[in-house]
Amino acid sequence: MTPTNGPNGEIRFDQTCPILRIFDEAKAREFYLDFLGFTLDWEHRFGDDFPLYAQVSRAGLILHLSGHHGDATPGSTTFVRMAGIHAFQQELIARNYIHAKPGVETLPWGLVMTVTDPFGNALRFCEAKLEA
């Protein structure tokens, strides 16, 4: 297979898609779909009694969720650049999810809101600091 380069022959990456390890499908759906507001795009199993592998997305962010041993390290952190962090935080607070009430921190590089899923994976959302 011949690699596809950008218009001037440079290497180009189109998208990152983190794989996050999950251990309980019901908890994953509650967190990613009900709380964070993602849409389930598709799910796959190799057969009956096999772990779930699924894709969820929202507003351009795509995540893969996997119950397969070895697909990802539990307790990882995913850094997500975004816009509209205060609106997102207010939306999450309004959902009254019992396990998380995220706040927004002001850090030197921007506004940051971290939410941790039921499996120890942290999603660190960051709205870049506006240059003066």
Side-chain angles (χ1 to χ4, degrees):
M1 175 182 227
T2 304
T4 303
N5 292 335
N8 297 320
E10 75 277 2
I11 294 170
R12 188 184 86 214
F13 300 102
D14 291 328
Q15 185 174 34
T16 300
C17 182
I19 302 171
L20 301 172
R21 182 74 194 278
I22 62 169
F23 299 100
D24 181 304
E25 292 176 27
K27 287 181 181 180
R29 289 175 195 277
E30 178 185 32
F31 181 80
Y32 286 97
L33 305 182
D34 300 340
F35 177 52
L36 292 183
F38 280 75
T39 299
L40 177 65
D41 298 328
W42 51 261
E43 55 184 46
H44 171 76
R45 293 175 199 280
F46 286 104
D48 295 337
D49 294 328
F50 276 80
L52 175 70
Y53 192 94
Q55 177 175 297
V56 296
S57 64
R58 178 173 180 180
L61 174 59
I62 296 173
L63 302 173
H64 283 188
L65 308 177
S66 179
H68 292 272
H69 176 76
D71 266 357
T73 302
S76 294
T77 299
T78 300
F79 189 86
V80 180
R81 295 186 188 279
M82 67 168 298
I85 197 165
H86 284 296
F88 189 33
Q89 187 255 355
Q90 289 303 306
E91 179 185 307
L92 297 182
I93 294 298
R95 290 206 172 104
N96 203 27
Y97 182 62
I98 193 169
H99 302 292
K101 309 288 188 228
V104 175
E105 295 179 88
T106 302
L107 297 172
W109 50 89
L111 302 173
V112 176
M113 177 179 67
T114 302
V115 293
T116 303
D117 77 6
F119 320 105
N121 300 303
L123 297 166
R124 190 166 294 149
F125 297 96
C126 179
E127 185 167 346
K129 180 179 174 182
L130 294 176
E131 297 299 323

